[in-house]
Amino acid sequence: MTTPDVGTGDEASVTIRCQDNASVGVTFCDRFSFDADSVHYAVELRAPGLTARVNEVVAWIWDSDLTAFLEELAADYRGWDGERSWQTNDHDLTVSAVFRSGGHVSLTWALRPWPQAAGDWGASVTTWLEAGEQMTSLAADVRAFLAGEHQ
């Protein structure tokens, strides 16, 4: 399930909650942009005993688009074989999708900032969504967030 939220200070965010366990989720928040070539945002992962955040994930306009990836998953609501994945150019956010029985999509959201630096770390959570409407809603909410339309 996705929720476009307007938090304190009218800051837009999108939260993806696992339909089977609402304490597991991903939040896109704190969007900002320096120029027309990129959008910067924070990603937070939550699960029982885990909170992880990367403050500056970068989406480049010339890069492969997360929303296009999510829209493709939504369009394939009847299913696919194997795993599909997407990642930012900097490899600090990766999303892997697997179609599961019962018309559900398992999305594993992995954060790994500074993968080449000493002291790097990684964390991931897996959310389950319905393949049709919930995936379509997620794609639309993420597209609006990255475009700054949730304000």
Side-chain angles (χ1 to χ4, degrees), residues 7-8 13 16 30 33 49 55 65 67-68 77 88-89 95 98 111 118 121 123 125-127 130 139 141-142 148:
T8 59
S13 66
I16 301 102
D30 299 335
S33 186
N55 287 323
D65 187 3
T67 55
Y77 64 92
T88 60
N89 190 53
V95 183
V98 176
L111 293 177
W121 59 270
V125 299
T126 300
T127 58
E130 291 175 1
D141 290 346
V142 169

Side-chain angles (χ1 to χ4, degrees), residues 37-51:
D37 293 331
S38 65
V39 174
H40 302 247
Y41 55 96
V43 178
E44 298 175 350
L45 306 180
R46 284 175 323 289
L50 171 73
T51 302

Side-chain angles (χ1 to χ4, degrees), residues 72-118:
E72 181 179 306
L73 297 178
D76 290 341
Y77 64 92
R78 290 193 173 115
W80 63 85
D81 292 326
E83 180 179 277
R84 294 181 180 179
S85 63
W86 171 90
Q87 64 186 359
T88 60
N89 190 53
D90 298 329
H91 307 283
D92 47 3
L93 172 62
T94 301
V95 183
S96 300
V98 176
F99 190 84
R100 301 291 184 185
S101 64
H104 294 93
V105 177
S106 140
L107 294 170
T108 300
W109 306 83
L111 293 177
R112 185 159 181 194
W114 321 291
Q116 305 303 319

Side-chain angles (χ1 to χ4, degrees), residues 12 29 41 47 59 71 73 79 99 109 113 117 121 129 131 134 137 145 148-149:
C29 56
Y41 55 96
E71 288 167 348
L73 297 178
F99 190 84
W109 306 83
W121 59 270
L129 299 174
Q134 287 184 349
S137 178
F145 171 77
E149 296 171 359

